[in-house]
Amino acid sequence: MKTLLRATALCLSALGLSTYGSPAFANTLELHSVDGDTTLELFTKNTQLQYRVNANGQQLLPAARLGYTVEANDALINQGDSVDKISIERQSDCGSVELLCRQYDIRVKARKPSLNDLKMQFRLYNDGFAFRYISQLEGQQSIAGELTEFNLNSASQLWFQSDDAIASHEGQYAQYPLSQVSSDQAIRLPVGAKLKNGLYLSISEANLLHDSGLRLQKIKAGRFQSNFYDASWPAFAQHHSAWRYVVISKSLTGLLTANMVERLADKPDSSIFADRDFIKVGKSVWHWLPEGPFGVLPKRQKEYIDIAAELGFQYSLIDAGWQERYPDLASNKDPYSVIADLSHYAEGKRIGLWIWYPVEELGDPINRRIIFSKLQKLGIAGIKVDFFDKQYGDAESYAAILSYQSVLKDAAEFQLMVNFHGASKPTGMAYTFPNEMTREGVRGQEFEYIREALNPQHNSLLVFSRYLLGSGDFTPIRFNATKLGASGNTASHQLALAGLLESRVQNFSFSPEDIYRLQSSQPSLIDYLRELPVVWDEVKVLAGSEVAGMLKVAKRRGSDWYVFVIDGRANIEQSVNAIDFTPESLDFLTANGYQLDVWSDKNSVDVAHTEYPKFIPGQKLEATFFSHGGLVLRFKPIR
């Protein structure tokens, strides 16, 4: 074995790397994170390219296959399935000082001279790793999937979407012991895991621009293989696959803040985004859940614009129905004349309008640009584009992936922000195209008509799954008593979701009448809605939090701290519960004193507000909540 590895060992020694060999695993390379705690071993077994991962001296991910399948000369070539040797072509540093990583450029040499070599890139961070395939193709070829596997035999629990038949990435999240995961179920990413040694993992993909979306399917024991909606898709020379990544964390805070998607996404094209002044985060009112298409009527829309202004929001969203209802109301039978009138009214209130479109209407590039030009002239702030799942068969199909980008590029030219619905999971497009403010890709408040579809455990799991990937249009805060009862959570639970489930443009699910009622009965909630941030500077998961259970998260914006609590425990009886916030749990409070507001459960549909004019860090603080309820605490330093 030493003889076989001699040339490779000399090369690796020069790079500061090491080699490893055994009769079963030939030609092994060790790739290391900057801190040295994580080691990824690349090796061949029976000429098959494989990898395994160790962390802190313990096996993290057992051996699993790697490989990329291309169609060439009417034949399928599994690059990674007949390997002669693997070698490192280059090692370099990547990422900023805060996100140090090492990048390794790997060549996988095929045994047969007639087969093209496969190139791979690996990035090892101190809190995870990522890899992608680079095919050496001649002219246009086709990608026919991957051999990629993830071996999760070290996992005790997994959590992911349980409804694989839904084409819009809007399945219900649940937690399962590894042994209970079915082998015939296609699993949409992300997949979360708690390992037997207590570490947490999150598996997904990033920079998905030129491929079909990746899914996983259990094949045996804890091995999960790659699975795609498309049987194949076109590719050209030097085709880069999306990054496949795994976050590794000792804590839930580390899991929540890793943001691997942002690290791996392509940077924005400066020629497209030379001017970003039109891109503004904010909060929006939205008529669809309270009253569906009837809310588009012009008189009613002006009421929504009025409450947006009253709340200090930035936007109002006109959803589906305007194209059918506005022609009959406008004297010239042109629906855009009504939009023009509403836009002028909104501008007077300093409110920007968002307009809904089905993606089918924007499919033709010429027609799309005509529409976008018209919207820009009318002063429209953004568009909500819907039904990618229906138009393209699946929201993660290759055709849908290309469509998102076409819409975003043209929208940027006409200075429009974008919200995608009926869409795939985020994979970093919002960083490559920063005019993407949010997307659905989540089972959110629109599913309230299905009893138990929005159960509290699903909400808790979202924080450590879908919302690790980026902004999501969950549309929080519903005050309807019937709907709250059906979904099993409370109004305070809803308040907390607005801070936990982040969206760069947060669309809210209440009506003008809800706000009128709160202005007289619960004015502190108006204050909460007006001041609640949508982006944050710092995040901490507090002790006692559990995936799929009790969740306590502290978030800072400027000098203000919020603590959001939701109870996602399953199979518990209704009761009043108390939380003792010890000085240790609030050690992030550094000012001498704070004005403290606490919003808690009065009952399932009403919120109790308690005000502490001067809270001194270190003093006793206890708050109560209902089972499956929630809490919000806001700490504002006393000047």
Side-chain angles (χ1 to χ4, degrees):
M1 186 56 61
K2 289 181 180 178
T3 302
L4 291 173
L5 291 175
R6 186 171 185 180
T8 304
L10 289 173
C11 175
L12 296 179
S13 177
L15 290 171
L17 302 171
S18 60
T19 63
Y20 171 86
S22 72
F25 305 109
N27 192 24
T28 300
L29 310 180
E30 288 188 0
L31 314 182
H32 300 281
S33 61
V34 175
D35 62 9
D37 288 346
T38 302
T39 300
L40 187 149
E41 295 179 351
L42 273 177
F43 59 92
T44 56
K45 181 180 181 182
N46 300 325
T47 76
Q48 167 63 55
L49 181 65
Q50 299 195 19
Y51 77 106
R52 59 184 166 227
V53 180
N54 298 319
N56 299 309
Q58 300 181 35
Q59 186 178 78
L60 186 72
L61 296 177
R65 298 195 305 171
L66 293 170
Y68 208 46
T69 303
V70 299
E71 293 180 356
N73 301 320
D74 298 321
L76 287 179
I77 300 173
N78 293 323
Q79 295 181 306
D81 204 21
S82 182
V83 176
D84 182 29
K85 68 175 183 178
I86 49 178
S87 59
I88 296 175
E89 292 192 331
R90 191 167 72 98
Q91 175 193 335
S92 58
D93 292 331
C94 54
S96 64
V97 174
E98 294 81 10
L99 299 173
L100 286 174
C101 82
R102 284 181 176 155
Q103 179 168 302
Y104 300 89
D105 293 284
I106 305 293
R107 179 177 291 274
V108 180
K109 185 172 180 57
R111 283 183 169 270
K112 298 178 182 179
S114 60
L115 301 181
N116 293 322
D117 292 346
L118 172 66
K119 285 190 175 182
M120 294 187 69
Q121 285 183 328
F122 286 81
R123 290 184 181 177
L124 271 73
Y125 298 86
N126 292 341
D127 58 355
F129 66 91
F131 59 88
R132 66 178 177 178
Y133 301 98
I134 306 172
S135 292
Q136 306 295 291
L137 303 174
E138 297 178 2
Q140 181 173 343
Q141 304 288 348
S142 292
I143 305 300
E146 298 179 15
L147 304 175
T148 305
E149 294 178 356
F150 296 92
N151 192 336
L152 298 175
N153 267 313
S154 299
S156 59
Q157 297 285 329
L158 301 180
W159 53 92
F160 53 84
Q161 294 183 68
S162 59
D163 301 298
D164 56 290
I166 294 179
S168 56
H169 216 81
E170 296 170 30
Q172 185 167 329
Y173 279 87
Q175 183 173 248
Y176 308 87
L178 176 60
S179 60
Q180 292 184 12
V181 179
S182 170
S183 296
D184 59 357
Q185 184 175 23
I187 297 172
R188 290 182 182 266
L189 300 177
V191 172
K194 185 174 184 179
L195 304 187
K196 296 170 184 175
N197 62 6
L199 290 176
Y200 297 97
L201 301 183
S202 180
I203 301 171
S204 195
E205 62 179 335
N207 211 42
L208 175 61
L209 300 173
H210 309 294
D211 295 288
S212 183
L214 174 67
R215 292 178 272 192
L216 298 179
Q217 186 168 11
K218 186 177 178 183
I219 49 176
K220 59 180 179 179
R223 297 170 72 96
F224 292 79
Q225 68 179 7
S226 54
N227 175 287
F228 299 89
Y229 172 77
D230 297 283
S232 65
W233 54 94
F236 299 88
Q238 290 291 311
H239 179 85
H240 292 73
S241 77
W243 289 98
R244 287 71 179 90
Y245 72 79
V246 178
V247 173
I248 305 166
S249 179
K250 299 176 183 177
S251 70
L252 290 176
T253 296
L255 192 65
L256 192 58
T257 58
N259 205 359
M260 195 74 80
V261 164
E262 180 179 5
R263 301 181 200 177
L264 297 168
D266 283 353
K267 298 296 185 288
D269 185 332
S270 58
S271 65
I272 299 175
F273 292 101
D275 178 9
R276 301 193 200 182
D277 290 344
F278 71 98
I279 301 172
K280 295 181 173 67
V281 303
K283 292 175 282 191
S284 179
V285 294
W286 177 56
H287 65 84
W288 188 261
L289 275 193
E291 53 195 305
F294 301 104
V296 304
L297 299 177
K299 182 180 178 181
R300 186 59 166 163
Q301 271 303 305
K302 289 181 179 180
E303 293 185 52
Y304 276 93
I305 292 168
D306 288 343
I307 67 163
E310 172 67 23
L311 291 168
F313 285 11
Q314 292 72 35
Y315 304 113
S316 180
L317 168 59
I318 302 176
D319 213 293
W322 67 271
Q323 290 153 309
E324 294 80 11
R325 286 169 169 76
Y326 286 180
D328 295 332
L329 299 167
S331 59
N332 62 358
K333 304 301 183 183
D334 177 13
Y336 286 97
S337 66
V338 180
I339 294 293
D341 176 65
L342 289 173
S343 180
H344 178 73
Y345 183 82
E347 184 181 7
K349 301 276 186 174
R350 296 188 176 182
I351 299 297
L353 289 186
W354 287 67
I355 308 294
W356 177 93
Y357 282 90
V359 68
E360 179 182 11
E361 193 169 333
L362 303 177
D364 178 72
I366 296 175
N367 187 55
R368 179 170 65 237
R369 292 174 62 83
I370 291 172
I371 290 173
F372 287 179
S373 176
K374 185 178 297 187
L375 294 178
Q376 183 184 33
K377 291 174 183 176
L378 291 174
I380 299 304
I383 53 171
K384 176 179 176 179
V385 188
D386 206 348
F387 298 138
F388 288 86
D389 53 335
K390 295 180 180 178
Q391 179 69 12
Y392 299 107
D394 191 280
E396 291 198 310
S397 68
Y398 174 74
I401 299 303
L402 297 185
S403 182
Y404 301 129
Q405 297 169 76
S406 297
V407 170
L408 287 166
K409 287 177 183 176
D410 285 348
E413 180 179 344
F414 294 99
Q415 299 197 320
L416 294 167
M417 294 177 285
V418 181
N419 173 0
F420 290 128
H421 264 235
S424 64
K425 66 184 181 297
T427 59
M429 259 183 224
Y431 302 103
T432 307
F433 302 93
N435 59 326
E436 181 189 320
M437 305 306 288
T438 191
R439 67 169 63 198
E440 196 174 26
V442 63
R443 175 167 288 191
Q445 211 84 274
E446 286 188 358
F447 277 79
E448 66 178 13
Y449 63 91
I450 303 176
R451 188 172 182 86
E452 300 299 325
L454 293 180
N455 66 75
Q457 189 173 70
H458 167 80
N459 296 344
S460 177
L461 281 166
L462 286 177
V463 177
F464 298 112
S465 51
R466 163 62 179 84
Y467 280 83
L468 301 180
L469 308 182
S471 290
D473 198 18
F474 184 91
T475 66
I477 303 194
R478 190 78 157 115
F479 295 119
N480 182 288
T482 302
K483 302 301 183 183
L484 285 175
S487 57
N489 62 69
T490 68
S492 292
H493 185 109
Q494 291 278 314
L495 293 183
L497 289 179
L500 287 170
L501 306 183
E502 295 181 23
S503 180
R504 292 172 67 210
V505 170
Q506 188 75 277
N507 293 294
F508 289 92
S509 297
F510 43 67
S511 68
E513 286 71 27
D514 288 324
I515 299 305
Y516 303 151
R517 176 174 60 84
L518 294 177
Q519 285 174 328
S520 59
S521 65
Q522 295 182 287
S524 75
L525 290 185
I526 301 297
D527 175 59
Y528 173 75
L529 294 171
R530 182 177 289 116
E531 293 202 11
L532 180 69
V534 296
V535 293
W536 302 89
D537 299 320
E538 188 176 357
V539 180
K540 295 176 178 290
V541 180
L542 303 187
S545 295
E546 294 183 353
V547 174
M550 280 294 302
L551 183 56
K552 297 174 279 185
V553 178
K555 295 188 176 186
R556 178 181 63 82
R557 180 64 175 175
S559 56
D560 295 348
W561 279 94
Y562 288 71
V563 176
F564 303 103
V565 179
I566 60 171
D567 181 5
R569 295 173 296 170
N571 303 319
I572 57 172
E573 295 182 0
Q574 282 297 320
S575 63
V576 177
N577 304 267
I579 293 181
D580 180 14
F581 290 97
T582 65
E584 292 77 18
S585 67
L586 300 177
D587 61 2
F588 49 85
L589 299 176
T590 57
N592 293 327
Y594 291 85
Q595 176 187 326
L596 169 60
D597 292 274
V598 179
W599 291 275
S600 58
D601 294 314
K602 185 176 183 180
N603 51 53
S604 62
V605 295
D606 292 312
V607 178
H609 173 240
T610 306
E611 184 178 358
Y612 299 79
K614 189 172 184 180
F615 175 80
I616 306 299
Q619 75 182 68
K620 181 178 176 60
L621 178 61
E622 186 178 84
T624 60
F625 64 95
F626 285 15
S627 300
H628 294 155
L631 281 169
V632 176
L633 288 71
R634 184 182 66 190
F635 299 87
K636 298 175 71 70
I638 298 173
R639 307 298 180 188

